[in-house]
Amino acid sequence: MAANYWASTQRNHWQFTKEMLSDIRESLEEDDRNLIQQYGLPDRRLQSIFFNQHLSKLGRRMTVRQQALATAQIYMRRFYIKVEIRRTNPYLVMATALYLACKMEECPQHIRVIVSEARNLWPDFIVSDISKVGECEFFMISEMNCQLIIHHPYRTLMALQTDLKLLPDEVSLSWSIINDHYLTDIPLLYPPHVMAVTAIFLALVLKPTQAGLQSANAAAALTSSLSNLNNAQSSSQSEAISSVTAQGRVQNLVKWLAEGEVDVKAMIDCTQEIISLYEVWEQYVEKTCKEQISRFVKARGLDK
């Protein structure tokens, strides 16, 4: 893996603004307007939840590491800003993304194992022909311009664990929040270290309050805390820092942030994206997502 994120293809070719992502997706939809009108799909975040859960099931069958699963999710997100989902078999794309991610994360799985496990999990959508995964892999690599190295927030989390004196349960909660951020556009919007620090902040703030991220009050409190932190970072006033929280480790984190160069505005946006995801998650019904995806896969013969 390239040691420097700032010189990486991820930073230089796969980090966008929200406006850029919206324009890319609108252009993609415009090219396939009739197809989109014919086959409706759920909210993109609900699709991401569906793909995440099914990728996790496939990964568990082969004891794949979490980082490989995360890389597979980013590959799928990149791929689907270049290719309209209704022109693909998402089940084949999931299997292929995981196959490719395992190669890149140095935990390779044999293509026959991937196909066999995927077919056992999704017998109606995966054929036994291994060449299908090979063809899809070539297609995916081509659409990503062979830019396959992914930098993840996990490394930053582990590096800050000692510096910020995080407890094991705080690290675990931060890790879980990082896992969930792959269900959003955050990996395409912000550097991985921003999400790592956001996850730590959320874990520390939520733990002492015993609040849920889904709560509107929790959302307002978190945004307010980060806004205060942004003011503290700008003015370097200790009063603003201490107003964020009285909890020891949180105060250490806030002081560390106020003295550093982490983009707090980006942290606020990441926080809002995560909270929005959890709110949408309450509406998730797997059966509905599966039916809508299956409808265009079967109708267009993409499962053959």
Side-chain angles (χ1 to χ4, degrees), residues 221-236:
L222 290 166
T223 302
S224 175
S225 294
L226 281 166
S227 296
N228 288 337
L229 171 57
N230 189 40
N231 294 334
Q233 194 178 46
S234 301
S235 64
S236 299

Side-chain angles (χ1 to χ4, degrees), residues 11 14 42 112 264:
R11 170 68 179 83
W14 294 99
R112 293 188 183 279
V264 177

Side-chain angles (χ1 to χ4, degrees), residues 160-203:
L160 293 177
Q161 179 180 0
T162 302
D163 293 346
L164 298 176
K165 299 179 174 61
L166 301 178
L167 299 177
D169 57 339
E170 293 164 347
V171 175
S172 178
L173 180 53
S174 300
W175 188 283
S176 295
I177 294 170
I178 289 173
N179 290 347
D180 290 342
H181 100 285
Y182 292 104
L183 281 66
T184 72
D185 283 332
I186 292 173
L188 299 180
L189 298 172
Y190 300 110
H193 74 273
V194 172
M195 186 58 226
V197 177
T198 301
I200 293 170
F201 184 83
L202 292 175

Side-chain angles (χ1 to χ4, degrees), residues 71-203:
T71 295
Q73 289 179 85
I74 291 184
Y75 286 171
M76 289 190 67
R77 193 163 289 274
R78 288 182 178 185
F79 183 69
Y80 280 136
I81 65 171
K82 302 291 285 292
V83 179
E84 166 54 44
I85 187 173
R86 295 165 184 83
R87 292 193 174 277
T88 71
N89 175 352
Y91 294 94
L92 178 60
V93 172
M94 279 191 280
T96 305
L98 187 58
Y99 173 59
L100 181 57
C102 286
K103 286 184 182 180
M104 294 305 299
E105 296 298 340
E106 299 181 349
C107 54
Q109 298 286 336
H110 197 284
I111 190 169
R112 293 188 183 279
V113 174
I114 289 279
V115 171
S116 175
E117 295 296 347
R119 183 162 171 74
N120 288 336
L121 195 58
W122 312 308
D124 295 336
F125 302 98
I126 298 291
V127 298
S128 56
D129 185 358
I130 62 172
S131 68
K132 295 292 185 182
V133 170
E135 292 169 3
C136 188
E137 179 189 21
F138 180 82
F139 185 22
M140 184 172 286
I141 292 173
S142 176
E143 291 298 332
M144 292 192 291
N145 301 316
C146 301
Q147 296 159 349
L148 305 177
I149 294 176
I150 304 294
H151 293 256
H152 292 281
Y154 302 115
R155 178 179 291 186
T156 302
L157 173 61
M158 293 297 99
L160 293 177
Q161 179 180 0
T162 302
D163 293 346
L164 298 176
K165 299 179 174 61
L166 301 178
L167 299 177
D169 57 339
E170 293 164 347
V171 175
S172 178
L173 180 53
S174 300
W175 188 283
S176 295
I177 294 170
I178 289 173
N179 290 347
D180 290 342
H181 100 285
Y182 292 104
L183 281 66
T184 72
D185 283 332
I186 292 173
L188 299 180
L189 298 172
Y190 300 110
H193 74 273
V194 172
M195 186 58 226
V197 177
T198 301
I200 293 170
F201 184 83
L202 292 175

